[in-house]
Amino acid sequence: MSNAEKRGKRQVVIRPSSKVVIKFLQVMQKNGYIGEFEVLDDHRSGKIVINLIGRINKCGVISPRFDVGYGNIEQWVLNVLPARGFGHVVLTTTFGIMDHDEARAKKTGGKILGFFY
């Protein structure tokens, strides 16, 4: 997705599709980093067609999925993102997949999935 964004493409196809990837994309869409996306079922692993709007500088996954407590969210944000208030870290919590701001508001921790800015 980052490579297509750098090349100036308007759409990109991601495969394979999964529930986690779809939720990650919904967080990105909610924060205004991507446009609409469509899930295509090809009776295999599925594909996702994403409309890009030119706002992504970098997005990535953090593997392994480290445990992040409520008190450690700020430390991960400082380590992963380039500047304060710039970009989002995505966590999977007991309340679902959300960015670090929403997790802080709900006072919950979880496992770190990835980031985008």
Side-chain angles (χ1 to χ4, degrees):
M1 201 158 57
S2 298
N3 291 339
E5 189 82 71
K6 287 176 190 166
R7 297 283 304 137
K9 305 285 188 200
R10 302 309 316 153
Q11 283 189 331
V12 65
V13 177
I14 293 181
R15 48 177 278 277
S17 161
S18 71
K19 289 190 276 188
V20 174
V21 172
I22 291 169
K23 293 286 188 188
F24 194 100
L25 291 172
Q26 286 173 346
V27 172
M28 290 179 80
Q29 186 179 31
K30 186 180 78 174
N31 289 300
Y33 281 80
I34 61 172
E36 296 294 316
F37 63 91
E38 182 181 359
V39 180
L40 303 175
D41 182 25
D42 57 359
H43 299 293
R44 290 185 187 89
S45 58
K47 297 178 184 173
I48 305 171
V49 179
I50 304 168
N51 292 326
L52 301 173
I53 57 174
R55 292 230 15 233
I56 300 172
N57 292 321
K58 187 169 186 182
C59 63
V61 67
I62 296 174
S63 182
R65 294 180 179 172
F66 291 107
D67 288 329
V68 179
Y70 170 69
N72 296 341
I73 292 175
E74 189 62 35
Q75 189 61 45
W76 274 94
V77 169
L78 293 173
N79 288 343
V80 173
L81 299 178
R84 282 184 59 82
F86 184 71
H88 299 273
V89 173
V90 180
L91 304 167
T92 175
T93 68
T94 54
F95 298 106
I97 294 175
M98 60 185 73
D99 66 336
H100 67 276
D101 293 326
E102 195 176 340
R104 240 189 265 141
K106 291 186 177 181
K107 294 194 184 324
T108 184
K111 291 187 181 287
I112 193 160
L113 279 179
F115 63 92
F116 58 92
Y117 54 85

